[in-house]
Amino acid sequence: MNLKNFTWSVDADGIALLTWDMQGKSMNVIDESVGHDLNTAVDAAVADPAVKGVVVTSGKDTFSGGADLTMLERLGQTFKDAIKAKGPEAAMADFFEQSRAYSLVLRKLETCGKPFVCAINGMCLGGAFEIALACHARVASDNPKLRVGLPEVKVGLFPGAGGTQRVPRMADIQSSLQMLLKGDQLKADRAKAMNLIDEIVPADKLIEAAKARLKAGVDPVKPWDKPKFKLPSGPVYSAGGMMVWPPANAIYRKETYDNYPGARAIMSAVYEGLLVPMDTALRIESRYFASVLRTPQAQAMIRSLFVSMGALGKGLRRPAGVPASQLKTVGVIGAGFMGAGIAYVTAQAGMDVVLIDRDVEAAEKGKAYTHKLMTDQVNKGRATSAQREALLAKIKTSADYADLKDVDLVIEAVFEDPAVKADVIKKAEAAIRPDVVFASNTSTLPITGLAQNSVRPDQFIGIHFFSPVDKMMLVEIIMAQKTGDKALAVALDYVKAIKKTPIVVNDTRGFYVNRCVGNYIKEAHLMVMEGVPPVMIDNLAKQAGMPVGPLTLNDEVAIDLGLKILKATKAQVGAQAVDPQQEKLLTFLVEKEGRVGKKAKKGFYEYLDNGKKTIWPGLKAFVGSQQDPDAIDRQEIIDRMLITTALEASRCVEEGVVTDPREADVGSILGFGFAPWSGGTLSYIDMIGTKAFVKKCDALAAKYGDRFAPNKLLREMAEKGETFYGRM
């Protein structure tokens, strides 16, 4: 048998072992050749009367993370080419058949008449879990890292190889919809409770248990292929069904605002598929899959959240020829909230940390943050007390800069004051080795200015973390004017080690992410001053696809920080650089009312002890009047928030702050959650079209001022019909 990705052997009992072990890859992934191999293996099992059943497993440490989505990108390009060559109707027919080829292979496996058991040894996601679901039984190892699930919705798609049909035929409909719509990754015990896994066994007994199950007898006919099959939750059109579907639709719309075609397709495919026999249901699923795959939302999300993010995580921007860094110990200066978070993620990555502050007591308070986070993990059963103590042992606290003598990288995270940072740079550089890179974690101060305090500016770089450090996946690396390749390589190696996604930007005030999110928040401030109801602003932002509204976000990051940045900008750049209405609002909130944000339980919102929040009544009195909500153009409010943010991204491209659209898009989604359905700030412009985007900007500029005026680059691109991805 000619198999590219699998090995095949048959034991004396007639049980075949089909082991997935792709050569040259650390993890099995699904591509066109995997589907071909599975088809060949099914044919071989059917043709050989000596084969009584098949165990499907993995030869790697884990089962598979699912499909290589670049395959779907290629399929989309093939479709576009086919339209030109064959016309839209013939191209669509070909596209439909190609997009369902893998689904047909799994259905063939499911109905071949020979029993298949999937032996899951680790992570098994997406199309790989659809293989498991198509098998006639599933045995999982007790590996604590094992996860199963169908996370396709997170990249704009949905399970297109039977996942939307098999899961709700095996599990209750509420659990099925939640799993599919959230893209949940389930532990083995949860999957077993949902009937998606049949048995959990010790890892070293996995294959033995799978074979034993086949010997004991596994029905090669799935329940739904038998005449008397009943759905776990009963028929769609029943009293029980009516208790599920109307509220499920309401919850879906509340959570997604109908921004995601993939999520909508899940609802439709499950609903319609449960009304018909399996083969018809799979055809329905395939039609939705082909339709969703062609949407601009899915294409943009696949590109940004899978292809681009993967490329950045693997070192897309790492300079060639620079040897890999050997980072064993990292110095972190400043044990406040940010520094404590940096120390935690660094220790979690296996590196030792020297945590420096003005005195040991302050440094110990920073170390206590790691204790708190690990204690939370222990209480949830995700870590042990021994693991907590081992992690704490990796963090050494000190007030003596001499303790930095053996570190391989220094990251400062002290108070946002140029004089304070200058003093830290001087003290640290006097203690560290000449070859050690110095990184500044700052969200407001230009790195080039800070680097002027360094005696080795070529080894000075910005590493901008986002709060909270342990949860935020983005790190913004900032190149100062004299930053060299070695500093960039070390910074990227460090970010890779802590398993976060880096973007590399050139130096400017606010860098890239904060410039964009600053515009988003600023526009909300100006709307408040215009009398737009604050709750309406936040709700429409969420309707636009933002994870939180701008006023809520401002409360969370601190209003006083925003005022401080505004004042610093005014002092260093000039009064023309700030909006007087925004300054008036923030000055009133912070300096007159002491409303600094959620940390004080009072900002734009009042934060109640029961966890709820309500808008502060004094805001309306300060503004003086409020517009009638029914008279407000809701789409215009949405446009103002998204367009001002994307427009700032285009300015960053024009100024050379961002040099790659992939970094702009990934940075905007991971940094502040810019409408993921759009694929990011520049994909949002490309999706609208530069000509139409410029037209929208001009209309808003005529009504609200020059802050909406398109930059020169955008106008040039609009005239030429260019896109950012086409141009760059």
Side-chain angles (χ1 to χ4, degrees), residues 262-293:
R264 184 195 307 169
I266 288 172
M267 292 289 291
S268 297
V270 174
Y271 180 83
E272 295 172 26
L274 294 183
L275 297 171
V276 295
M278 190 59 163
D279 286 307
T280 305
L282 290 172
R283 191 173 185 85
I284 289 171
E285 179 191 74
S286 294
R287 290 204 177 280
Y288 277 113
F289 185 71
S291 175
V292 167
L293 194 57

Side-chain angles (χ1 to χ4, degrees), residues 27 68 123 187 262 319 327 329 349 424 438 496-497 505 518 536 540 550 561 572 576 596 661 673:
M27 180 182 290
D68 175 3
M123 182 173 64
K187 293 182 179 180
L327 301 176
T329 306
V424 165
F438 187 102
K496 183 177 182 180
V505 304
M536 187 177 189
L540 287 174
L561 175 61
Q572 296 171 15
Q576 78 283 354
V596 297

Side-chain angles (χ1 to χ4, degrees), residues 296 300 303-304 646 650 661-662 665 674 677-694 714 717-718 721-728:
R303 180 174 62 196
S304 293
S650 76
R662 292 171 292 186
D665 280 344
F674 183 85
W677 60 264
S678 70
T681 46
L682 298 186
S683 284
Y684 172 72
I685 297 175
D686 282 358
M687 193 179 293
I688 293 173
T690 47
K691 186 174 182 179
F693 186 81
V694 165
L714 261 181
M717 290 175 62
E722 293 180 327
T723 64
F724 281 101
Y725 277 86
R727 180 188 178 98
M728 300 176 68

Side-chain angles (χ1 to χ4, degrees), residues 478-540:
I478 305 101
M479 300 286 287
Q481 288 180 0
K482 296 182 180 180
T483 301
D485 282 354
K486 177 190 172 183
L488 175 58
V490 169
L492 287 170
D493 290 347
Y494 168 73
V495 174
K496 183 177 182 180
I498 61 174
K499 298 181 180 178
K500 294 189 183 292
T501 301
I503 62 169
V504 180
V505 304
N506 291 315
D507 196 23
T508 186
R509 181 173 296 277
F511 318 130
Y512 167 69
V513 172
N514 280 353
R515 277 181 59 170
C516 291
V517 76
N519 267 28
Y520 172 60
I521 292 173
K522 174 184 174 182
E523 198 60 31
H525 292 163
L526 299 181
M527 290 177 190
V528 169
M529 295 300 284
E530 293 167 15
V532 179
V535 173
M536 187 177 189
I537 296 170
D538 271 3
N539 285 343
L540 287 174

Side-chain angles (χ1 to χ4, degrees), residues 213-398:
R213 199 170 188 89
L214 278 171
K215 291 177 186 177
V218 173
D219 191 343
V221 180
K222 286 292 189 73
W224 44 83
D225 287 323
K226 297 179 179 180
K228 295 183 179 181
F229 173 69
K230 294 182 179 180
L231 293 169
S233 294
V236 171
Y237 290 118
S238 66
M242 291 304 101
M243 293 292 288
V244 170
W245 286 101
N249 185 57
I251 293 170
Y252 151 75
R253 291 184 177 275
K254 178 179 179 293
E255 294 295 325
T256 69
Y257 293 96
D258 215 21
N259 284 318
Y260 298 90
R264 184 195 307 169
I266 288 172
M267 292 289 291
S268 297
V270 174
Y271 180 83
E272 295 172 26
L274 294 183
L275 297 171
V276 295
M278 190 59 163
D279 286 307
T280 305
L282 290 172
R283 191 173 185 85
I284 289 171
E285 179 191 74
S286 294
R287 290 204 177 280
Y288 277 113
F289 185 71
S291 175
V292 167
L293 194 57
R294 292 182 297 113
T295 63
Q297 292 90 341
Q299 291 172 10
M301 289 180 74
I302 290 171
R303 180 174 62 196
S304 293
L305 296 176
F306 180 80
V307 181
S308 297
M309 194 181 299
L312 291 169
K314 292 175 182 176
L316 173 71
R317 293 295 303 276
R318 195 182 191 282
V322 181
S325 310
Q326 302 298 321
L327 301 176
K328 297 179 180 178
T329 306
V330 175
V332 179
I333 307 174
F337 185 61
M338 293 300 291
I342 295 168
Y344 170 75
V345 298
T346 304
Q348 279 278 28
M351 291 171 274
D352 292 324
V353 178
V354 178
L355 183 59
I356 301 279
D357 212 304
R358 63 183 181 276
D359 53 51
V360 174
E361 183 181 3
E364 283 291 332
K365 286 182 179 178
K367 183 175 180 177
Y369 182 70
T370 290
H371 186 278
K372 177 184 179 301
L373 292 178
M374 286 301 293
T375 298
D376 290 343
Q377 296 295 309
V378 171
N379 292 339
K380 294 175 182 176
R382 297 175 183 171
T384 65
S385 297
Q387 289 173 326
R388 177 182 60 195
E389 297 310 311
L391 193 67
L392 288 168
K394 298 187 76 64
I395 303 175
K396 175 184 177 180
T397 57
S398 175

